[in-house]
Amino acid sequence: GDVLLNFEPAEVRFDSPGLTGLGCLATPEQASKHGVYCAHQTGNVREFYQKPSPAEQFEKGAANDYGETILDIGVMSFDAETALTLLETFGIAPGEDGKLTWASEMGQAIMDRGLDFYREVCCAMGDRVTTQEHFASAKASGSTWERALLARVFEGLRNVPFSVQVLPRCEFLHFGTTRQMIVSGLELLRMDRGVSQLQTCLSINNLSLGDGRITGKKAWVEGCRIASELSLDDDNVVVGVEVNTPVSLPLGACLDVIQGRNRAGQEVLFVRCYGIDDRFKDPVHHGATLCNVQAEEWLDAAGLTPEDVWDADVSPEDRTVFNARLFPAVTDKTEYQKWLWLFHPDQASEAQKSRLRSADRYSLAEISLL
């Protein structure tokens, strides 16, 4: 997963009936990115919510007198009877060869729509949950399951005991976003070194040669060959880069050069310039960003039209940075330096914009396969 946990295993007990989850106390803001338990003092779960807003947590009574909520740390244990209940609920049975297989409409729903354990399963459990609340909670979390199928999940799981054990001490480091890589990585290093504060750069599996050095802090630099100065202004991620001449990146700029193959099957390097807080799968018409500015503004400044970067069958509502052909493929390890202007497209020359329009460009979706 994308979370690193540190707690005392000897404090954990998994001998309760049904499903047992582990949790820790957190602020409502932190818990809003994860699952949240509403529990009785006995530990029995009343309701489970997936990614509820801080306001929802207070409204539902999830926050205690100190304004803390029980955050789901992603560790679950269920007994044998619960395992069988899950198999039965989702229509899993032996096939002709005796092996377990999807054997019903429920199984087909899993294949077609996917099954999120927290959203479709955990939100159905708890001694105060109703089928209406389960449906509303699952849908609010992004479920595409039909009401009738979610009702069958609820009926199958409603009587399974569900409890949470709140750990007295738990370090919860999340690596779910680009920024969290840096923040959690530095916190991990701080704990490892046993110091109260740390002002440094995370240098991971890099090769330094000659005058090569990294200046800056609050950055993640990995898998680079550094023979000159790499100057960073903070909140930077740099991966797979060959630094033979001085390279400088502005605040919040992220750069990775990743190996792959182009559409013709030839070996290339994909140059990806983006921002620390870019959310690649957010709709562009809802304000998605690229290189820390609104994507629509970035495209206009770079001289690109929607037709240049999205296929005709991608509707305006479905346009994202993830499925936009924005990132050039190159063959030389140092050619990425010709594309660093992408961080400031408003300062680009007409020649640079023309070169971008004619470049062999790829989307993040394509690169993930190539």
Side-chain angles (χ1 to χ4, degrees):
D2 57 10
V3 169
L4 182 64
L5 301 171
N6 184 20
F7 58 88
E8 178 50 61
E11 296 172 346
V12 175
R13 296 291 299 272
F14 282 139
D15 52 2
S16 297
L19 177 65
T20 303
L22 299 185
C24 68
L25 293 176
T27 65
E29 288 73 21
Q30 183 181 16
S32 66
K33 305 297 190 296
H34 307 277
V36 170
Y37 292 98
C38 293
H40 301 283
Q41 289 187 343
T42 59
N44 293 333
V45 176
R46 302 196 316 262
E47 299 103 356
F48 181 94
Y49 298 101
Q50 181 66 350
K51 299 182 179 179
S53 68
E56 289 177 296
Q57 294 174 48
F58 283 102
E59 179 187 339
K60 303 291 186 181
N64 63 19
D65 293 340
Y66 300 98
E68 301 169 314
T69 56
I70 304 174
L71 179 151
D72 164 42
I73 68 170
V75 177
M76 299 277 184
S77 174
F78 42 82
D79 60 12
E81 186 174 349
T82 303
L84 289 173
T85 299
L86 285 167
L87 292 175
E88 292 168 355
T89 298
F90 291 104
I92 300 168
E96 294 181 359
D97 58 1
K99 296 181 179 180
L100 292 176
T101 184
W102 311 118
S104 71
E105 184 183 9
M106 297 289 278
Q108 191 60 47
I110 293 175
M111 298 299 290
D112 293 342
R113 303 170 183 270
L115 177 69
D116 186 291
F117 181 75
Y118 304 102
R119 184 176 61 203
E120 277 89 25
V121 175
C122 292
C123 287
M125 302 174 65
D127 58 24
R128 291 190 183 177
V129 180
T130 65
T131 185
Q132 292 85 357
E133 289 173 338
H134 172 224
F135 176 77
S137 183
K139 286 296 182 180
S141 302
S143 177
T144 60
W145 280 54
E146 298 171 2
R147 181 185 289 270
L149 292 179
L150 285 173
R152 287 168 59 179
V153 174
F154 176 78
E155 288 300 322
L157 302 177
R158 63 182 302 181
N159 294 320
V160 175
F162 190 15
S163 61
V164 58
Q165 181 178 348
V166 182
L167 299 170
R169 181 189 64 81
C170 178
E171 287 148 356
F172 182 91
L173 299 179
H174 192 204
F175 292 81
T177 68
T178 312
R179 182 179 291 277
Q180 286 173 339
M181 285 173 54
I182 300 172
V183 173
S184 295
L186 287 170
E187 177 62 13
L188 181 62
L189 187 61
R190 183 197 67 77
M191 292 188 297
D192 185 60
R193 293 184 178 178
V195 296
S196 59
Q197 288 186 331
L198 198 62
Q199 299 291 328
T200 188
C201 166
L202 290 157
S203 178
I204 304 163
N205 292 337
N206 296 306
L207 177 62
S208 294
L209 301 169
D211 296 328
R213 66 189 183 117
I214 304 171
T215 60
K217 55 190 178 182
K218 287 180 64 180
W220 179 296
V221 182
E222 178 181 0
C224 295
R225 185 181 176 94
I226 304 172
S228 188
E229 183 175 359
L230 176 61
S231 178
L232 306 174
D233 278 355
D234 285 359
D235 293 336
N236 304 107
V237 172
V238 185
V239 179
V241 173
E242 193 95 5
V243 185
N244 292 331
T245 58
V247 173
S248 178
L249 294 185
L251 177 71
C254 301
L255 167 69
D256 66 59
V257 180
I258 185 170
Q259 292 182 331
R261 293 183 180 274
N262 62 16
R263 299 181 189 99
Q266 300 163 324
E267 291 189 3
V268 294
L269 298 165
F270 298 109
V271 180
R272 307 196 293 188
C273 299
Y274 51 97
I276 186 73
D277 292 316
D278 292 346
R279 295 168 61 90
F280 303 131
K281 294 188 178 181
D282 283 359
V284 167
H285 70 284
H286 281 173
T289 61
L290 178 61
C291 295
N292 299 317
V293 299
Q294 288 209 349
E296 291 177 332
E297 294 180 13
W298 188 96
L299 288 172
D300 185 60
L304 294 173
T305 67
E307 291 72 26
D308 290 328
V309 298
W310 284 291
D311 293 333
D313 60 352
V314 179
S315 68
E317 292 74 22
D318 294 329
R319 290 172 180 170
T320 65
V321 172
F322 188 72
N323 58 26
R325 294 185 301 275
L326 297 169
F327 304 97
V330 300
T331 55
D332 184 84
K333 291 181 179 179
T334 60
E335 197 174 347
Y336 72 88
Q337 295 193 37
K338 298 178 181 178
W339 295 107
L340 295 183
W341 64 266
L342 295 175
F343 290 117
H344 298 292
D346 56 321
Q347 302 174 14
S349 67
E350 287 304 318
Q352 288 173 318
K353 295 178 184 180
S354 176
R355 185 163 177 257
L356 178 62
R357 284 192 294 270
S358 61
D360 187 24
R361 288 176 278 106
Y362 293 79
S363 69
L364 294 171
E366 288 180 291
I367 293 171
S368 69
L369 300 175
L370 294 171

